[in-house]
Amino acid sequence: MVSVHAGTVPAPAARRERLGAHPVPGGVDVVVHAPHATAVQICLLDVEGQELRERRYDLLPGTHGRWSGHLPGVGAGQRYGFRVHGPWDIAHGHRHNPHKLLLDPYARALAGDARHVPQIYGGEVDEDFHPVSDEPDTRDSAPFVAHGVIIDEPEQVQDRPRVPWSRTVIYEAHVKGLTMRLPQVPEDLRGTYAGLAHPATIDHLRDLGVTAVELLPIHAKFSEPALQRRGAVNYWGYSTLAFFAPEPSYATAAARAAGPHAVVAEVRDMVAALHEAGLEVILDVVYNHTAEGGVDGPMLSWRGLDNAGYYLHSTETRAAYLDVTGTGNSVDFRAQHAVAMAVDSMRYWVQHIGVDGFRLDLAVTLGRHGTDFDPRHPLLVAMATDPVLGGVKQIAEPWDVGPHGWRTGQFAAPMAEWNDRFRDVTRSFWLADVASIRAGGRGQDLRDLATRLAGSADLFGHTGIPGGRGPTSSINYVTAHDGFTLADLVSYDIKHNWANGEDNRDGSDHNNSYNHGSEGPTDDPAILAARRRSMRAMLGTLLVSAGTPMITAGDEIGRTQHGNNNAYALDDERVWVDWDLQPWQRDLLATTTHLLTLRREHRALRSNRYTTFRTEHQDWREFISWFDRSGEPMRLEVWFDAGERVLQMLRRPPLPDGGQALVVVNGTVDDAQVHLAAGTEVRLVWDAAWERPEDPGPLLPPGSQVPVPALSMQIYLAEQA
């Protein structure tokens, strides 16, 4: 390493101040936030063989804690980082250490691989990375950390699908895991952004009938030290290293060899290809914490720039963090620069990469004033009112692990939310309750299931807006990346997470699953048939319920993780989607496709308003009615009867061509005879008892008596105008 201190940079020209390093005519303008620093240097890095050469330039202090400068003759492709001088005062939350090269929080691209070595820690640690003193470490970290790379700003994306919420179906996927075993994708493209954009991948998504791909985090990541020590990685990516830069390892080898600008271009091309197919792209983003971990973790970026400001600290001592995310640190969004960083990051991904929305991990942290949550927190208000972000999809994971952290239904418009209540009720009704009944116990009554089918008005029908935010604000799901897959829900009673290296202590013990009589793989045809029916019933419930459905990648083909409900640290065939399908998996794919087609083509299966009451002329309100097995309106006492698990839901949208949809649910362990409650002729278009979709049945007059198999669901439709 050769370092040359090259003096002080000139001030940037009078132009709009933008944080980060941006090419301008004649060079690069640089702005960084470090309010407690006594000096800040920008370090230009050049790799020459095995040697890393560094040129350091002093930035000029400005207002509001910002440091800036202009680098003449510097352009795109230049590696850089910062060294920050200032107090090392742990008691007051300051951890400045100029021996550590810091990544620009606004870096658009990265080069080099961060390595987990003692040199990347701000304080002195031993070879096992345990703190040995309160003194700063004086070893240089530059050879061991990722470097920012200056790139030209990509052009703004103008065209996008703009799918309305009422027609949105989300498909949650991992960039790598989706295509690593997809044989139609060329081997050099598998597991990459380009592989996701390949026609074979897009054809599957489009044929399936989803409208949006929600990608697990693709922000650049750095796996937690505890994982790295045991040779594992954070496969899911919930350990963000850079909020503006894409994860380089998901790019093709060709793009990585061509340079960081090519990695960014591959991401843009992926988004463009999905857009061309009519598919939106939603990013799962992790602004609630960073990869730097707890106070004794590595110093990579924010900790060395403004530890006291970026992170939420204990109310008792500034030497400790208040961790409401369970990851070691939490970003403090009471700080204006933290709010600005998150908003600027989202704007960049929308405007210059082209994404169509965000799923906000542990979103309660984003609305915290320390220990208190406010749905009108400045960051959440900024997102809702921003002219760029206000027009894209925003989805909250409405909880964190801090005080009073479960907030489902408590965010404000236009935010949608993951509805964990829908997940739990659907699983309980079709699985846990059935296990209880077969063991001689009882299940739950029908009230909660009906509430979820109707769009969870108890959660989303308020907030001061007439009608609330509406059912589409409820992101309905049965499975997600964390937890059992759909196939594992019906195959395992308990988690089997031994491969994670945490002695099966990790992952939830509250799964509401049911193995149907045998734990894990079995050759028993009766058990296998029962498992398949349960999967179909849960998919049917998901896709006829009012709200926005989300399907986890691979559930449409019965993907298994072999009972692992927290496979965040596995990156191999155990978690990648296996596209070598058995006949039953092809049948399940056909079923999922059929259900999505029915939902798309029939307005009555896509309720997007709540019904408060039926008016004389049945105006704009959608009319939903409930009936028992005899075709009579549900009586109050039946709703409370846990032994009565047969229900009919009739939807009659007010539109002239809305048609009618009748959903019949039999949650008992016995076949039932049901008198259809439809007010007109209907025909059976799907039955969860069918292994594979069949042709629609004959038109049946109102009141017809039909058999409904045990633990099944049927969908009847009237002829549309």
Side-chain angles (χ1 to χ4, degrees):
M1 158 97 52
V2 176
S3 299
V4 178
H5 191 288
T8 302
V9 298
R15 56 173 67 92
R16 183 173 66 89
E17 186 178 73
R18 290 191 299 165
L19 286 160
H22 302 280
V24 295
V28 168
D29 280 354
V30 181
V31 182
V32 64
H33 180 84
H36 301 287
T38 57
V40 177
Q41 296 166 317
I42 183 168
C43 308
L44 304 184
L45 307 161
D46 300 290
V47 179
E48 298 180 6
Q50 299 297 314
E51 188 174 27
L52 183 65
R53 298 180 63 88
E54 178 178 342
R55 294 168 285 155
R56 301 179 184 176
Y57 299 89
D58 293 331
L59 296 179
L60 301 173
T63 58
H64 311 301
R66 294 182 174 184
W67 299 73
S68 62
H70 174 76
L71 298 169
V74 176
Q78 177 66 59
R79 294 191 186 202
Y80 74 105
F82 296 114
R83 295 187 186 272
V84 178
H85 302 254
W88 178 270
D89 184 355
I90 293 177
H92 292 89
H94 301 309
R95 294 174 179 265
H96 301 96
N97 186 340
H99 300 285
K100 308 305 168 183
L101 185 76
L102 305 177
L103 182 66
D104 180 3
Y106 279 70
R108 281 4 187 206
L110 304 186
D113 295 321
R115 294 161 53 190
H116 187 228
V117 295
Q119 288 89 331
I120 69 173
Y121 285 74
E124 293 182 342
V125 298
D126 59 24
E127 292 303 312
D128 294 321
F129 311 102
H130 298 134
V132 295
S133 77
D134 288 335
E135 297 301 313
D137 183 85
T138 58
R139 291 171 289 186
D140 187 12
S141 69
F144 310 105
V145 295
H147 306 146
V149 178
I150 299 168
I151 64 170
D152 291 318
E153 195 89 302
E155 294 182 359
Q156 291 197 15
V157 175
Q158 302 298 331
D159 298 326
R160 57 184 73 240
R162 299 190 185 280
V163 179
W165 274 113
S166 61
R167 290 184 173 271
T168 297
V169 179
I170 297 171
Y171 186 85
E172 189 199 36
H174 189 286
V175 167
K176 185 175 183 180
L178 185 61
T179 64
M180 276 298 291
R181 304 179 71 180
L182 186 55
Q184 294 87 353
V185 172
E187 189 169 354
D188 62 323
L189 302 184
R190 293 177 192 167
T192 69
Y193 301 117
L196 182 55
H198 189 272
T201 313
I202 289 177
D203 286 348
H204 174 77
L205 298 171
R206 196 158 50 179
D207 292 346
L208 180 61
V210 300
T211 69
V213 181
E214 182 177 300
L215 297 177
L216 268 66
I218 64 170
H219 286 167
K221 62 181 180 178
F222 180 74
S223 294
E224 295 88 338
L227 290 178
Q228 296 191 50
R229 284 197 291 270
R230 65 174 189 255
V233 297
N234 190 319
Y235 169 68
W236 288 347
Y238 291 92
S239 188
T240 306
L241 177 62
F243 292 119
F244 292 78
E247 170 55 36
S249 68
Y250 298 154
T252 57
R256 296 197 303 271
H261 68 283
V263 173
V264 175
E266 187 173 307
V267 178
R268 277 174 49 91
D269 290 346
M270 172 194 71
V271 174
L274 291 165
H275 281 179
E276 188 175 353
L279 297 166
E280 293 185 313
V281 179
I282 298 170
L283 296 189
D284 195 336
V285 288
V286 189
Y287 295 111
N288 60 79
H289 73 279
T290 78
E292 290 185 313
V295 289
D296 295 328
M299 180 176 286
L300 305 170
S301 178
W302 306 270
R303 179 169 288 139
L305 289 164
D306 182 20
N307 179 67
Y310 274 116
Y311 292 123
L312 187 62
H313 284 73
S314 168
T315 56
E316 298 176 356
T317 171
R318 301 290 290 177
Y321 290 159
L322 176 61
D323 179 13
V324 298
T325 62
T327 62
N329 70 59
S330 305
V331 176
D332 188 352
F333 288 105
R334 294 174 299 184
Q336 291 184 9
H337 55 283
V339 171
M341 178 183 66
V343 171
D344 288 346
S345 167
M346 286 184 271
R347 282 199 196 115
Y348 172 76
W349 284 91
V350 171
Q351 292 181 299
H352 298 283
I353 306 299
V355 305
D356 306 284
F358 304 93
R359 180 266 188 188
L360 299 147
D361 182 67
L362 300 183
V364 170
T365 301
L366 278 59
R368 280 193 179 274
H369 294 287
T371 57
D372 299 324
F373 169 75
D374 181 1
R376 289 172 176 80
H377 186 282
L379 173 55
L380 301 178
V381 171
M383 292 173 56
T385 57
D386 184 85
V388 174
L389 302 182
V392 301
K393 290 182 167 68
Q394 300 176 17
I395 302 169
E397 182 184 36
W399 50 79
D400 66 13
V401 301
H404 310 292
W406 240 254
R407 298 285 182 164
T408 305
Q410 298 180 36
F411 284 74
M415 189 77 73
E417 299 175 37
W418 274 24
N419 188 347
D420 55 315
R421 186 64 181 158
F422 180 95
R423 174 200 64 198
D424 293 346
V425 169
T426 303
R427 292 182 180 189
S428 292
F429 186 83
W430 292 112
L431 298 176
D433 286 1
V434 176
S436 176
I437 292 168
R438 286 182 168 160
R442 304 187 74 183
Q444 303 298 311
D445 58 46
L446 292 164
R447 288 174 294 159
D448 218 349
L449 178 69
T451 302
R452 305 312 141 206
L453 287 168
S456 297
D458 59 331
L459 298 173
F460 300 98
H462 50 87
T463 69
I465 302 171
R469 283 178 283 164
T472 56
S473 292
S474 172
I475 305 299
N476 297 335
Y477 68 106
V478 180
T479 69
H481 62 275
D482 55 343
F484 280 143
T485 66
L486 185 65
D488 288 353
L489 269 179
V490 302
S491 304
Y492 295 91
D493 279 353
I494 60 175
K495 66 188 182 185
H496 296 262
N497 296 358
W498 301 102
N500 298 352
E502 300 180 36
D503 296 325
N504 207 37
R505 295 188 304 269
D506 62 306
S508 175
D509 293 311
H510 181 66
N511 296 295
N512 287 321
S513 59
Y514 175 38
N515 66 18
H516 292 78
S518 179
E519 188 76 356
T522 180
D523 294 327
D524 188 315
I527 292 177
L528 292 174
R531 289 176 175 178
R532 295 195 297 271
R533 181 177 296 192
S534 293
M535 283 192 284
R536 294 191 295 268
M538 287 188 288
L539 284 170
T541 303
L542 174 65
L543 295 175
V544 302
S545 293
T548 302
M550 183 183 79
I551 298 171
T552 304
D555 275 355
E556 74 274 22
I557 56 173
R559 180 177 76 94
T560 180
Q561 290 181 165
H562 314 288
N564 194 322
N565 75 352
N566 190 40
Y568 75 104
L570 304 182
D571 184 7
D572 54 33
E573 289 83 357
R574 292 171 290 184
V575 293
W576 301 335
V577 178
D578 183 359
W579 297 96
D580 184 14
L581 306 185
Q582 300 177 29
W584 73 267
Q585 292 176 288
R586 297 187 185 279
D587 291 342
L588 185 61
L589 175 58
T591 294
T592 310
T593 302
H594 179 66
L595 286 168
L596 284 169
T597 300
L598 292 175
R599 181 184 178 89
R600 181 175 63 252
E601 295 181 351
H602 295 273
R603 175 68 178 78
L605 293 175
R606 288 184 284 106
S607 179
N608 63 357
R609 290 174 178 167
Y610 291 124
T611 300
T612 53
F613 54 87
R614 184 181 181 180
T615 64
E616 180 180 356
H617 302 291
Q618 193 170 312
D619 57 12
W620 60 269
R621 297 172 178 83
E622 294 176 351
F623 180 49
I624 183 171
S625 304
W626 305 97
F627 301 89
D628 61 20
R629 69 174 73 202
S630 67
E632 295 298 319
M634 286 286 285
R635 303 181 308 280
L636 182 62
E637 63 269 21
V638 177
W639 284 117
F640 288 85
D641 184 357
E644 181 52 59
R645 289 167 56 87
V646 176
L647 176 71
Q648 297 188 71
M649 177 181 69
L650 178 65
R651 284 212 194 108
R652 284 180 268 187
L655 302 178
D657 60 348
Q660 289 188 22
L662 179 68
V663 176
V664 183
V665 173
N666 180 9
T668 72
V669 295
D670 300 308
D671 296 344
Q673 294 294 319
V674 173
H675 292 269
L676 298 181
T680 186
E681 291 183 325
V682 294
R683 66 173 81 241
L684 179 66
V685 295
W686 181 74
D687 191 329
W690 293 348
E691 290 284 355
R692 189 177 180 88
E694 300 180 9
D695 292 334
L699 281 172
L700 300 173
S704 295
Q705 180 173 295
V706 298
V708 183
L711 301 174
S712 186
M713 169 188 285
Q714 295 177 338
I715 301 175
Y716 294 83
L717 292 173
E719 295 293 301
Q720 292 194 140

